[in-house]
Amino acid sequence: MAAAARSTDRPGALEITRKLTEICGPPFARFAGPADEVAGRTARWVAVPGGPHAAAEVLRLAAAHDLTVVPRGAGTKIDWGAAPAQVDIMLDTGRLAGVWHEPHAASVAEIGAGTPLRAVQATLGRTGRRLPVDVPSPGATLGGVLAADESGPLRHRHGSPCAQLVGVRYLDADGELVSVGESGTARFGAAAPSGGHAGGPRAEAVRDAGPAVGWGRAGGLFVDGPAAGGGDAVLGRGELPGLDVARLLCGSQGGLGVLVSATMRVQAVPAGRVWVSRPVWTPLEVHDLVRAVLAAEVAPAAVELDLPVPVPLPRRRVPASHPSVAGRPDHPAVTGRPAAGSLVVLLEGGPSDVAERAERLTAVLGAEAVVNHHAPEWWGRYPFAPGDTALRIEVPAGDLHAAVYALRDAAGAPVPVRGSAGVGTAYAALPGVLSPERVASILTAVRSVLIARQGRCVVVAAPAPVRRVVDLWGELPALPRLRSAKARLDPHHRLAPGRLPGGL
């Protein structure tokens, strides 16, 4: 609140407030409060523009007064990544919402950046379609998901949300509306709606800059060709004009442009879904089972792993009939073994086809495999809690077990790990009580193992003392080209300065 209060003392602050109110309307422009922060950095103003033109006016006002702007959706990932150097105007995208598509059988839909994913799925569901995106953040908006390149279990079959992107409308740092790719109703390249333009000089500059800079399968940087599953795997250079720029926005945390809308691929809701689960105890066991699942050719929609921290075994075993373990035959007190983790495979498709594939999969996974018609409780949830140091591990799927063992060795104990074992992306949680120096040493040890395996470990979120000390990103070969892209798209560093790697 102190930072927001100080803003009223700055000459011209009240004039800026008045202009923001004229642009957005009286209820939608105000001085920031204590909850209006980005990774611990408090904003000075909050503006909630009612449409693309109003959002463009906010950016033009910021440019005229040399103010920084940080976009915010639902705020579910506002503490992810590095803290911005300064937050003058927090641009809330909540009114940039809506779903546009025609006809009902269309394979794409244009979605406003501020639209909650739950609303998107509900709208598409009325016509029997869905967006194959199932991110763990409850209440997340599409713009926030793309800005963080967040994805969920369905990334195994469909790639990240950015891999399903076929067009975007975004505002550059000067408030110019740029349209690239395809819209849900008409080709953007033919006529950019709402006064925007297709491509533009900055987009052309990025396309002409040489190898494309982009983000990996869960937000990691790449240059011309990351591991399978990332945006580049689907949105190859030249597939649609300008998508080099579109994929740059994915994972950029608002540091390269402000998303207005995105056109996404949509599909029919599958008629049948089952989850085939099997208990697992070690990362090596998971490695062997995932290889068997992928070799079985059962076309899984998702292959998810949950390895919780084992609890101490009881001194005495308890009969399965005891009331304390009723209905829980796998309880450690009954089995005498540590609590198991789980490997769960999601199968989707026609009911008879799914049933046949589930039968084949259970034969592969063995007698302990169970078929369920509901997802396990942990499905689509992160293993970390507020206050933890959250890590994301990306490595070829065949080396994920080595990454988990390296993390355990570095931490000196098992840590909870959960994620997409079939594509080698997993999340882990370190206790928030660990000192920054201890976290830094763990990261160094894990990264030294991963670098030889073409993997990486990124700090997704962390307590402020840890975030200030540790290297959040690790080695980034693409940093020079990211710096070049920032210089072209935001030369004055007004958009979320410091949120990108390298302090960009």
Side-chain angles (χ1 to χ4, degrees):
M1 188 67 181
R6 285 196 301 272
S7 67
T8 62
D9 301 329
R10 176 175 170 173
L14 293 178
E15 178 66 12
I16 291 171
T17 306
R18 182 186 66 80
K19 290 182 178 179
L20 287 174
T21 302
E22 289 178 354
I23 294 169
C24 301
F28 302 108
R30 58 177 173 83
F31 285 114
D36 300 312
E37 62 175 35
V38 183
R41 193 81 69 201
T42 307
R44 300 175 63 207
W45 292 275
V46 176
V48 193
H53 291 302
E57 287 299 318
V58 171
L59 287 168
R60 292 187 189 111
L61 176 67
H65 293 271
D66 195 26
L67 300 173
T68 62
V69 177
V70 178
R72 176 180 70 181
T76 57
K77 295 169 288 296
I78 204 71
D79 61 339
W80 283 25
Q86 183 175 327
V87 187
D88 290 322
I89 300 175
M90 180 175 283
L91 195 157
D92 192 304
T93 63
R95 299 170 70 199
L96 304 177
V99 180
W100 305 277
H101 52 93
E102 60 176 37
H104 284 175
S107 61
V108 299
E110 184 179 2
I111 303 163
T115 314
L117 279 179
R118 289 173 178 171
V120 175
Q121 302 292 24
T123 300
L124 294 174
R126 297 185 193 124
T127 57
R129 292 177 301 159
R130 70 170 183 177
L131 187 64
V133 172
D134 56 350
V135 299
S137 299
T141 63
L142 178 64
V145 167
L146 293 174
D149 201 9
E150 184 183 21
S151 56
L154 288 177
R155 82 190 94 191
H156 180 93
R157 180 70 176 271
H158 304 286
S160 72
C162 290
Q164 300 163 50
L165 189 69
V166 296
V168 296
R169 286 197 293 165
Y170 74 94
L171 292 163
D172 67 16
D174 293 326
E176 187 172 12
L177 183 62
V178 182
S179 302
V180 294
E182 197 178 329
S183 80
T185 56
R187 286 273 179 175
F188 276 173
S194 303
H197 68 281
R202 295 190 187 219
E204 294 297 335
V206 172
R207 286 201 296 272
D208 295 340
V213 184
W215 304 84
R217 50 185 178 268
L221 285 165
F222 64 78
V223 178
D224 268 349
D232 193 53
V234 175
L235 301 178
R237 289 179 60 86
E239 181 185 299
L240 286 173
L243 283 179
D244 284 346
V245 181
R247 64 186 178 185
L248 272 175
L249 300 177
C250 293
S252 68
Q253 299 282 16
L256 298 176
V258 178
L259 281 167
V260 170
S261 68
T263 301
M264 308 288 291
R265 294 186 175 97
V266 297
Q267 59 181 221
V269 175
R273 301 184 90 196
V274 298
W275 287 261
V276 182
S277 63
R278 185 192 189 281
V280 291
W281 280 268
T282 69
L284 183 58
E285 182 183 16
V286 172
H287 168 268
D288 294 340
L289 288 172
V290 169
R291 287 186 60 185
V293 169
L294 298 181
E297 299 184 354
V298 293
V303 181
E304 292 289 295
L305 164 69
D306 179 45
L307 283 178
V309 174
V311 298
L313 289 173
R315 293 183 179 179
R316 296 181 180 179
R317 295 179 64 172
V318 175
S321 58
H322 194 276
S324 65
V325 292
R328 301 177 64 186
D330 58 345
H331 193 281
V334 177
T335 63
R337 294 192 295 179
S342 300
L343 181 70
V344 181
V345 180
L346 170 62
L347 302 176
E348 295 184 329
S352 60
D353 176 58
V354 166
E356 187 273 331
R357 284 186 284 139
E359 184 176 349
R360 284 195 282 128
L361 183 57
T362 54
V364 170
L365 295 178
E368 293 180 290
V370 177
V371 178
N372 296 290
H373 292 276
H374 300 283
E377 183 180 1
W378 54 265
W379 184 270
R381 297 184 181 184
Y382 292 119
F384 48 83
D388 289 342
T389 295
L391 308 180
R392 183 179 65 240
I393 295 170
E394 300 174 7
V395 70
D399 289 322
L400 183 59
H401 68 296
V404 176
Y405 281 126
L407 180 59
R408 287 182 172 184
D409 290 344
V415 296
V417 174
R418 187 178 295 162
S420 299
V423 296
T425 299
Y427 291 86
L430 297 177
V433 297
L434 292 182
S435 69
E437 294 74 20
R438 180 73 178 115
V439 173
S441 68
I442 292 172
L443 287 171
T444 299
V446 173
R447 286 167 175 166
S448 66
V449 172
L450 293 179
I451 193 169
R453 292 172 168 80
Q454 297 184 324
R456 56 197 302 260
C457 180
V458 173
V459 178
V460 174
V466 173
R467 190 165 50 227
R468 285 194 294 265
V469 171
V470 305
D471 178 0
L472 302 181
W473 299 90
E475 184 177 351
L476 289 174
L479 187 57
R481 296 206 175 272
L482 178 62
R483 186 174 287 112
S484 176
K486 178 73 170 178
R488 286 172 168 83
L489 293 172
D490 181 24
H492 302 290
H493 288 227
R494 287 193 295 264
L495 297 178
R499 288 284 268 167
L500 291 171
L504 297 177

